[in-house]
Amino acid sequence: MENNSTHIEEIPHPPPRKWKHILRQNSERIGAFAEDAVLPMNQRSTHNIVSGRDIELDDVRCARKRIPVKIKPRYFPFFMIVISVIQVGIMYLSDHEKVTLLFGYDPHRRHEVWRYFTDAFVHTGLSHLWSNMLLQMILGVLLEIVHHCKRVALIYFASVFGGSLFVTILSPGTYVIGASAGIYGLMFSHLSTIILNWNEMDRKVCRLFWLILYIVVNFSLGLVDTNNSLAGHFGGAVTGFLVSILALKNFEKHPWEKKMQKICLTVLIALFVVIVVINVTASGLYLPTEWNFNYTATYEDFVVNLVVVSAEGSTVYKQCQQDFRCMMLLHQRNISVT
């Protein structure tokens, strides 16, 4: 007698793809590293988990008491990736000279408000671009994984805006481009993180020492390079620190931290009001305001006048001698540079 029953073989599930496993594994490592770098020990996902037995016992206790196991959320660093891609795309895919004159901070056009933000999207060259990209990815991604893109975006653009405002009063006659103000804001956000979570942070003295050393080295390198806008760096650092105290997660609030946040908010508002008042009232501090859209002509006149008033042998003087366009502009105005 034939057995009509059909035998169905169990089909084994295909093994997970290797690239997915590698991606998941590395993202977990990056997330854990970000938590170690930014969060106090008692706020990390791995806190108090010593072994597999501890995990099982914790799960059983939570199941019996119907208490969900809380896992700290980690966020994908959308903002830092998107902003970096835009900055790289502008450098490689656009007319660099036109974009710089349109979006960089122009001392003749302080009324064009977009420039206080868009100067972070343009750079002087490839070395300037990629050094900034490396720094902002290292500093920003760690913060964004823990604190979410909204907080990091707020700190970044507030720092860029603050850096531009500080330029208007500390270096009012200077063209400025680059994302350095935003980067210094992110750098000082790490300082804010340590201060906000001082009571809970492990190895806080060691963390503070190395961070301050890193900040001092960066500012020192800025002093050596005469092309750097120290006013923009300083403004971005101050703004980033103050905004971070207000915007970053404060996991365990203490009375002294609330007082510090009120002080930071007061200082932030006071700085903004003072800088705006100076910009409106101190007309003698600034270059003539240009209301036309002929940005190239304005910049060329600025460069020529800068070379004329510069001492022979100065950096500006030497750069003009090496630039054919600059020499042609001087020649057209019957100005000789030897």
Side-chain angles (χ1 to χ4, degrees), residues 49-172:
I49 297 179
V50 180
S51 64
R53 179 175 172 79
D54 291 337
I55 297 173
E56 292 173 6
L57 289 174
D58 287 343
D59 290 342
V60 170
R61 293 186 190 118
C62 289
R64 287 176 180 174
K65 296 179 181 180
R66 295 183 180 179
I67 300 173
V69 179
K70 291 184 179 180
I71 300 175
K72 298 296 178 186
R74 293 173 182 168
Y75 306 100
F76 186 78
F78 284 107
F79 173 72
M80 294 314 307
I81 292 175
V82 169
I83 199 76
S84 299
V85 169
I86 293 173
Q87 290 163 335
V88 171
I90 288 175
M91 172 60 75
Y92 283 95
L93 302 177
S94 64
D95 187 326
H96 179 257
E97 184 176 349
K98 289 182 179 179
V99 170
T100 299
L101 293 176
L102 182 62
F103 293 117
Y105 172 75
D106 187 337
H108 298 91
R109 295 177 169 84
R110 290 177 295 118
H111 56 282
E112 295 179 348
V113 181
W114 72 82
R115 296 179 180 273
Y116 294 92
F117 297 95
T118 57
D119 55 356
F121 291 92
V122 287
H123 295 80
T124 57
L126 294 180
S127 60
H128 186 208
L129 170 73
W130 287 111
S131 60
N132 278 354
M133 293 305 97
L134 178 63
L135 281 175
Q136 76 179 23
M137 287 297 289
I138 292 173
L139 295 169
V141 165
L142 296 178
L143 284 172
E144 194 171 346
I145 288 173
V146 173
H147 291 283
H148 197 268
C149 62
K150 292 180 181 178
R151 291 183 173 87
V152 175
L154 173 62
I155 293 166
Y156 186 85
F157 282 120
S159 301
V160 171
F161 181 61
S164 300
L165 286 179
F166 270 72
V167 167
T168 64
I169 59 171
L170 299 181
S171 184

Side-chain angles (χ1 to χ4, degrees), residues 8-300:
I8 300 175
E9 293 184 0
E10 186 176 346
I11 301 175
H13 293 287
R17 293 184 179 180
K18 190 174 181 181
W19 68 268
K20 286 186 177 180
H21 175 70
I22 295 173
L23 182 63
R24 191 181 301 112
Q25 190 178 42
N26 286 317
S27 63
E28 179 65 26
R29 288 176 179 173
I30 294 171
F33 177 74
E35 288 188 352
D36 291 342
V38 176
L39 291 178
M41 185 178 290
N42 64 346
Q43 295 296 329
R44 298 171 195 163
S45 301
T46 55
H47 178 59
N48 289 335
I49 297 179
V50 180
S51 64
R53 179 175 172 79
D54 291 337
I55 297 173
E56 292 173 6
L57 289 174
D58 287 343
D59 290 342
V60 170
R61 293 186 190 118
C62 289
R64 287 176 180 174
K65 296 179 181 180
R66 295 183 180 179
I67 300 173
V69 179
K70 291 184 179 180
I71 300 175
K72 298 296 178 186
R74 293 173 182 168
Y75 306 100
F76 186 78
F78 284 107
F79 173 72
M80 294 314 307
I81 292 175
V82 169
I83 199 76
S84 299
V85 169
I86 293 173
Q87 290 163 335
V88 171
I90 288 175
M91 172 60 75
Y92 283 95
L93 302 177
S94 64
D95 187 326
H96 179 257
E97 184 176 349
K98 289 182 179 179
V99 170
T100 299
L101 293 176
L102 182 62
F103 293 117
Y105 172 75
D106 187 337
H108 298 91
R109 295 177 169 84
R110 290 177 295 118
H111 56 282
E112 295 179 348
V113 181
W114 72 82
R115 296 179 180 273
Y116 294 92
F117 297 95
T118 57
D119 55 356
F121 291 92
V122 287
H123 295 80
T124 57
L126 294 180
S127 60
H128 186 208
L129 170 73
W130 287 111
S131 60
N132 278 354
M133 293 305 97
L134 178 63
L135 281 175
Q136 76 179 23
M137 287 297 289
I138 292 173
L139 295 169
V141 165
L142 296 178
L143 284 172
E144 194 171 346
I145 288 173
V146 173
H147 291 283
H148 197 268
C149 62
K150 292 180 181 178
R151 291 183 173 87
V152 175
L154 173 62
I155 293 166
Y156 186 85
F157 282 120
S159 301
V160 171
F161 181 61
S164 300
L165 286 179
F166 270 72
V167 167
T168 64
I169 59 171
L170 299 181
S171 184
T174 307
Y175 280 82
V176 177
I177 59 173
S180 295
I183 292 170
Y184 272 84
L186 295 175
M187 191 185 303
F188 275 74
S189 292
H190 286 270
L191 180 60
S192 300
T193 299
I194 296 174
I195 293 174
L196 271 177
N197 301 285
W198 182 259
N199 292 341
E200 300 81 33
M201 190 69 73
D202 58 304
R203 306 188 304 276
K204 49 195 170 189
V205 176
C206 181
R207 290 170 183 267
L208 189 61
F209 170 78
W210 287 110
L211 181 60
I212 291 176
L213 180 63
Y214 179 72
I215 291 170
V216 169
V217 169
N218 268 273
F219 269 108
S220 301
L221 292 175
L223 289 172
V224 174
D225 189 352
T226 56
N227 289 326
N228 280 334
S229 173
L230 296 179
H233 293 181
F234 180 68
V238 171
T239 308
F241 176 79
L242 295 174
V243 173
S244 297
I245 293 291
L246 301 170
L248 292 180
K249 294 179 182 178
N250 187 6
F251 297 98
E252 294 187 22
K253 296 182 180 180
H254 301 279
W256 67 269
E257 292 172 342
K258 293 180 180 179
K259 292 179 181 178
M260 182 178 63
Q261 288 178 326
K262 291 180 180 178
I263 293 171
C264 288
L265 179 60
T266 303
V267 172
L268 191 65
I269 294 173
L271 283 173
F272 176 75
V273 171
V274 168
I275 292 174
V276 170
V277 169
I278 292 174
N279 271 267
V280 172
T281 60
S283 57
L285 185 65
Y286 301 102
L287 297 175
T289 301
E290 296 286 350
W291 295 92
N292 59 61
F293 298 101
N294 195 355
Y295 302 132
T296 302
T298 303
Y299 181 69
E300 288 178 350

